[in-house]
Amino acid sequence: MRQNSSLIVFIRSHTRLATVALVISLALAIVVLLGAAARAQVPGLALPGVAAQQDAPADEAAAGEPTDATLPPELEALRAVIADDAARARLLEALAATAPAGDAVAAAAAAQEEAPLPFATVIAEQTRAVAEQVAGIFAVTGRALDTVAALWRDVDAADVERLGRIVAALGLVIAVTVGSYLVLRWLAGRLGDRFARHRQTGNIIGRIVLSVATFLVEALALAAAWAIGTFVAVHWGPTGMNALNQQLFLNAFVMAEVIKLGVRAVLRPNRGSLRVIQAISDTAAAYWYFWIGRTTSIVVYAFLFVAPIASWTVSFAAGQAIRTLAVLAACLVGVLVTLQNRDFVRRIMLRRAVNGQDDATARFMAALARVWHVLAIVYFVALFFVWTVHPREALTYMLSATFESAIAIGVGVGIAIFLSRFITGGMRLSPDVKQRLPLLESRLNAFVPKILHVIRLVVLVGILVAVAQAWELFDFLAWASSGVGFAVTTSLISAFLLVLVGIALYILVSSWVEYRLNPDYGTPPSARERTLLALFRNAFTVTLVVVITIMVLSELGVNVGPLLAGAGVVGLAVGFGAQKLVQDVITGVFIQLENAMNEGDVVSAGGISGVVERLTIRSVSIRDLQGTYHVVPFSSVDSVSNMMRHFAYYVADIGVAYRENVAEVKQAMQDAFDLLTRSEDHGADILGPFELWGVEALADSAVVIRARIKTAPGKQWATGRAYLEAVKQVFDERGIEIPFPHLTIYAGEGKTGTAPPLRILAERAAAGGAPTAAPQMATADEAVESIAGNVTSAPEETGAKA
């Protein structure tokens, strides 16, 4: 608490007047009550009412007992009946005969008294009682003033002298007790200062030991002061009622100082080094000790000293009025302290929200910060009115209700904060568990916070119920033990437990499937296992949700029979209206039964070829070579082509030039296969010997030779690419030509059927002047360099013509 010395000065300056007024009022009450006590013991100082009561028996005795002649006729007849034995017996028989009717009337009256009143009537009765009590305070005050006036109306010098001796004796006890306690407390304080300066106060153990030692020293000082006061009261004090008054003061003094001693042991306002709770500042400790000490003195002295004397000497109503005034003063102090600390407590409650936390606890504290002072003021007002209506049971009722409410709120807030940490921080698993079950942490963080939110809501409801039970606003235990309450509570608990069991089963089965599909642990799952486990997880989830929902509804009192029948009718109608969906499901069931495809297979289904990424009971999801994701419903699948079942083949069609020897080519292809089998990357994928089939076709520009390689499923494409690389390597080493497109240059044809010479030769001869007897052949490169514009391309043919 960030209070300062100026605040203490402000509080003391503004509350000094009220404190002085209360002290003066109590002092005047003590003087009046002492005068009343003296009046009761001094013959000439008797109260008018008391005197009348004391004089009445004497007057009656002087008048003598009434005779039979003075009795009324009715009483005389009753005496005659009682005196006659026969008449008395007949009277008893008549009374016995009328007893059942009397019992019936009594039972009816008792039933009427036990019948519950309407709520509005109860409120009206309580309000009327409060108003009467408040009005009674003013009436008692007026009667007390009249009593004070009557006390001193006919007082002589002897009475005043005797009253002075009584007051002096009580004042002596008070002065000796308080004075000795102040001196002893000052001496104990010096010793406590030495403890506070001890070097062991730096650690918590030493601080606790020295604080306990200081407490014991102060307790011994209090005990010594009480012993001194008791000694003075016994040996120099009066006897009788005044001795009892002195004992009342000693009891009140000890009780008040013991309470303040306990508060001082916790707060240590003047010795901060001995304070066990170091979070409390010196100013805050002094502030709270100031208010607690004043309030304790007012309440204890009023209840244990002033009010008993008022009840004995004046009237019980006067004592009750003094108690009510003390409770009112304590409640006003509570309201004043609440208003003074309103902003400070609000800042503490808003600390979580200011720090950026947005959980339910922060929101609840932020909402409470705006109205906490109103609730506190309402509490003090309720305390005063409860005391006014039921003064005997009020203190016990308020203390027990407050204690139970504080425990319920403290436990509930502690549980809520504990749950909020789990909700905010989430659950963290060990690296080994995360490696085995990669999705378990995210799955737990998806469900556990929701469950904790529900539990926190249940805790909040429990707090409200506990507070209502403590203040007797709602008897939850009686309602829960009744038929309806027991059924409702058991149904809610059973439904909540069923939901928890369902979530636990889902997490357990999903984690087992995830562990079984993890290739890094245990036996690596096959494609069939992956497909069936995924389908099993989906089917189990749907079945679990349906079963748990039906069981929860049944626990909540819903008749699930008509619901199931309606669901069957709706399912039949949906089946007729969604025939395509039914066809998808039925086809999917048979595809799964026939094991036509699994996750990870390369298939062709519904005109789509690619890798199967997901299988459901209704559709298959395929990703093709370009990465496009296709969802193909089973109703559109006429056939399934699975390219990864048991084994696969790669068919190699190798084309060579017509000029190559076929036997040499076959040997080269076999050597390339042998080279492939010795490869570390692809040798293990080859399952059988090389199947060399021979010439497959005589194509336009190549001789095609076919071979086949048996591979593991799904490895045919990689093995085929590696084999082609090996064939190219061997063909290059042995000079075997693989046909490729050629360029043909055509220079035209003469009428004689002979090809004319290329124009470049004629131009060269003309330029050089040398005669040309016959055309000469030019190479294709020379022709391309010189007459690129006269070149024509022909389709794929071998060779070149000039």
Side-chain angles (χ1 to χ4, degrees):
M1 175 178 296
R2 299 184 60 185
Q3 304 279 358
N4 50 33
S5 58
S6 61
L7 178 60
I8 297 297
V9 173
F10 172 80
I11 295 170
R12 291 179 175 175
S13 62
H14 283 73
T15 56
R16 186 178 295 113
L17 182 60
T19 305
V20 170
L22 288 174
V23 172
I24 293 175
S25 300
L26 292 176
L28 291 176
I30 293 173
V31 173
V32 171
L33 295 175
L34 290 176
R39 187 74 175 184
Q41 294 186 1
V42 178
L45 277 174
L47 292 177
V50 176
Q53 294 177 1
Q54 294 176 351
D55 294 340
D59 295 340
E60 291 179 359
E65 295 183 358
T67 61
D68 295 343
T70 61
L71 290 177
E74 296 82 0
L75 294 180
E76 180 62 27
L78 178 61
R79 188 188 66 78
V81 171
I82 295 174
D84 189 358
D85 295 337
R88 185 169 67 253
R90 289 193 299 272
L91 178 61
L92 294 177
E93 292 177 358
L95 292 176
T98 59
D103 294 341
V105 173
Q112 184 176 3
E113 291 179 358
E114 294 179 358
L117 297 175
F119 183 74
T121 305
V122 174
I123 295 298
E125 290 291 337
Q126 295 293 336
T127 305
R128 182 180 61 81
V130 171
E132 291 178 356
Q133 293 291 337
V134 174
I137 294 176
F138 295 100
V140 170
T141 304
R143 289 195 299 269
L145 294 177
D146 294 338
T147 303
V148 172
L151 283 174
W152 306 101
R153 187 171 296 131
D154 300 322
V155 178
D156 54 12
D159 297 333
V160 173
E161 181 181 358
R162 181 168 296 183
L163 177 61
R165 290 197 299 270
I166 295 173
V167 173
L170 181 59
L172 176 63
V173 172
I174 295 175
V176 170
T177 304
V178 175
S180 61
Y181 179 63
L182 292 177
V183 173
L184 293 173
R185 182 178 169 184
W186 180 81
L187 295 176
R190 302 288 70 78
L191 185 58
D193 293 337
R194 294 188 62 181
F195 288 157
R197 292 190 298 268
H198 200 276
R199 58 184 179 85
Q200 293 295 332
T201 58
N203 58 82
I204 182 66
I205 302 299
R207 192 159 55 246
I208 293 175
V209 172
L210 293 175
S211 180
V212 171
T214 305
F215 174 80
L216 294 177
V217 171
E218 293 178 348
L220 289 176
L222 176 61
W226 173 80
I228 293 173
T230 303
F231 179 82
V232 172
V234 170
H235 291 81
W236 287 285
T239 59
M241 183 64 68
N242 291 312
L244 185 60
N245 295 337
Q246 294 174 353
Q247 190 61 44
L248 287 175
F249 166 75
L250 292 174
N251 294 340
F253 169 77
V254 170
M255 179 62 67
E257 294 303 325
V258 165
I259 295 175
K260 290 191 285 186
L261 181 61
V263 175
R264 193 161 58 248
V266 175
L267 297 178
R268 293 298 175 196
N270 298 324
R271 300 178 182 91
S273 58
L274 295 178
R275 191 178 305 122
V276 178
I277 306 175
Q278 292 294 315
I280 303 177
S281 63
D282 294 340
T283 306
Y287 172 84
W288 288 110
Y289 180 72
F290 171 81
W291 284 115
I292 294 175
R294 270 46 173 194
T295 307
T296 300
S297 299
I298 293 173
V299 173
V300 171
Y301 282 106
F303 273 70
L304 300 183
F305 179 51
V306 180
I309 297 177
S311 299
W312 294 337
T313 59
V314 180
S315 65
F316 176 78
Q320 189 61 30
I322 293 175
R323 294 187 183 94
T324 304
L325 290 175
V327 173
L328 177 61
C331 293
L332 291 177
V333 170
V335 172
L336 178 62
V337 172
T338 300
L339 294 177
Q340 289 176 349
N341 295 273
R342 178 178 58 184
D343 295 334
F344 170 72
V345 177
R346 178 183 297 154
R347 288 193 299 269
I348 294 178
M349 292 183 176
L350 292 176
R351 186 175 298 170
R352 295 176 64 90
V354 172
N355 293 334
Q357 299 180 3
D358 193 24
D359 53 358
T361 304
R363 292 192 295 270
F364 173 75
M365 297 299 291
L368 185 62
R370 293 191 291 268
V371 297
W372 81 269
H373 61 286
V374 178
L375 299 178
I377 293 174
V378 170
Y379 172 80
F380 289 116
V381 173
L383 172 61
F384 174 72
F385 279 103
V386 169
W387 173 266
T388 305
V389 176
H390 302 288
R392 292 183 179 274
E393 299 85 6
L395 185 60
T396 304
Y397 168 75
M398 293 297 295
L399 290 179
S400 62
T402 303
F403 182 71
E404 293 175 5
S405 301
I407 291 179
I409 294 174
V411 173
V413 171
I415 295 175
I417 294 175
F418 179 75
L419 296 177
S420 298
R421 291 182 179 178
F422 273 100
I423 294 173
T424 305
M427 299 192 65
R428 297 291 182 267
L429 300 179
S430 62
D432 182 65
V433 176
K434 291 174 67 175
Q435 188 176 4
R436 292 175 180 268
L437 304 171
L439 299 179
L440 180 59
E441 182 175 319
S442 60
R443 192 175 291 117
L444 289 175
N445 288 326
F447 287 102
V448 173
K450 295 181 177 60
I451 298 175
L452 295 181
H453 279 296
V454 175
I455 295 177
R456 191 169 58 185
L457 180 61
V458 172
V459 170
L460 178 60
V461 174
I463 292 174
L464 297 178
V465 170
V467 172
Q469 182 78 26
W471 293 96
E472 299 179 1
L473 300 177
F474 173 64
D475 194 354
F476 176 78
L477 297 179
W479 176 80
S481 60
S482 64
V484 177
F486 182 77
V488 171
T489 52
T490 54
S491 298
L492 292 176
I493 294 174
S494 301
F496 182 69
L497 293 178
L498 282 173
V499 173
L500 287 182
V501 170
I503 294 175
L505 287 176
Y506 170 76
I507 294 176
L508 180 64
V509 173
S510 299
S511 301
W512 176 77
V513 172
E514 180 186 354
Y515 173 77
R516 195 62 194 84
L517 294 176
N518 194 344
D520 298 331
Y521 290 91
T523 304
S526 62
R528 180 65 174 168
E529 289 178 336
R530 291 197 302 269
T531 302
L532 293 180
L533 287 174
L535 291 176
F536 168 74
R537 179 172 53 192
N538 296 334
F540 177 80
T541 301
V542 174
T543 305
L544 182 65
V545 169
V546 173
V547 172
I548 292 297
T549 302
I550 293 175
M551 294 179 67
V552 168
L553 292 177
S554 177
E555 288 294 332
L556 294 178
V558 178
N559 189 3
V560 297
L563 184 63
L564 294 176
V569 174
V570 171
L572 185 61
V574 170
F576 280 110
Q579 297 183 13
K580 202 72 172 177
L581 178 62
V582 175
Q583 183 181 358
D584 291 342
V585 174
I586 294 175
T587 306
V589 170
F590 281 101
I591 287 177
Q592 296 304 322
L593 292 177
E594 295 173 358
N595 195 17
M597 65 179 78
N598 294 307
E599 290 184 4
D601 290 351
V602 179
V603 300
S604 177
I608 305 297
S609 298
V611 181
V612 177
E613 290 193 356
R614 186 170 179 267
L615 271 173
T616 64
I617 201 65
R618 190 193 71 85
S619 63
V620 56
S621 301
I622 300 175
R623 190 177 297 276
D624 62 11
L625 186 61
Q626 287 76 28
T628 305
Y629 189 76
H630 304 272
V631 179
V632 182
F634 285 129
S635 59
S636 62
V637 177
D638 296 330
S639 62
V640 177
S641 300
N642 196 326
M643 306 172 192
M644 297 183 62
R645 186 54 51 87
H646 307 305
F647 59 88
Y649 285 106
Y650 175 72
V651 179
D653 289 330
I654 307 299
V656 297
Y658 271 90
R659 67 180 178 85
E660 301 299 340
N661 187 286
V662 174
E664 294 179 1
V665 173
K666 287 183 178 181
Q667 185 61 42
M669 293 176 63
Q670 181 66 45
D671 295 340
F673 176 76
D674 295 338
L675 182 63
L676 181 63
T677 56
R678 294 191 295 269
S679 173
E680 295 181 358
D681 297 332
H682 303 283
D685 297 332
I686 300 174
L687 302 181
F690 187 62
E691 301 179 14
L692 188 56
W693 290 355
V695 177
E696 177 67 19
L698 298 174
D700 294 338
S701 59
V703 177
V704 180
I705 301 175
R706 173 169 290 184
R708 190 173 72 169
I709 303 174
K710 187 177 182 180
T711 66
K715 301 297 182 179
Q716 61 268 36
W717 297 285
T719 303
R721 289 189 290 268
Y723 178 68
L724 293 179
E725 292 179 3
V727 168
K728 176 65 168 61
Q729 178 183 350
V730 174
F731 280 11
D732 290 343
E733 292 175 354
R734 302 181 182 183
I736 299 175
E737 180 183 358
I738 299 175
F740 59 90
H742 293 74
L743 179 66
T744 301
I745 300 175
Y746 179 66
E749 185 179 351
K751 291 183 177 181
T752 60
T754 61
L758 291 176
R759 183 177 301 174
I760 186 171
L761 297 178
E763 290 179 353
R764 286 179 179 176
T772 57
Q776 299 179 1
M777 291 292 289
T779 63
D781 295 336
E782 294 174 348
V784 171
E785 292 176 358
S786 301
I787 53 171
N790 297 325
V791 176
T792 59
S793 298
E796 296 179 3
E797 292 183 6
T798 60
K801 297 181 181 179

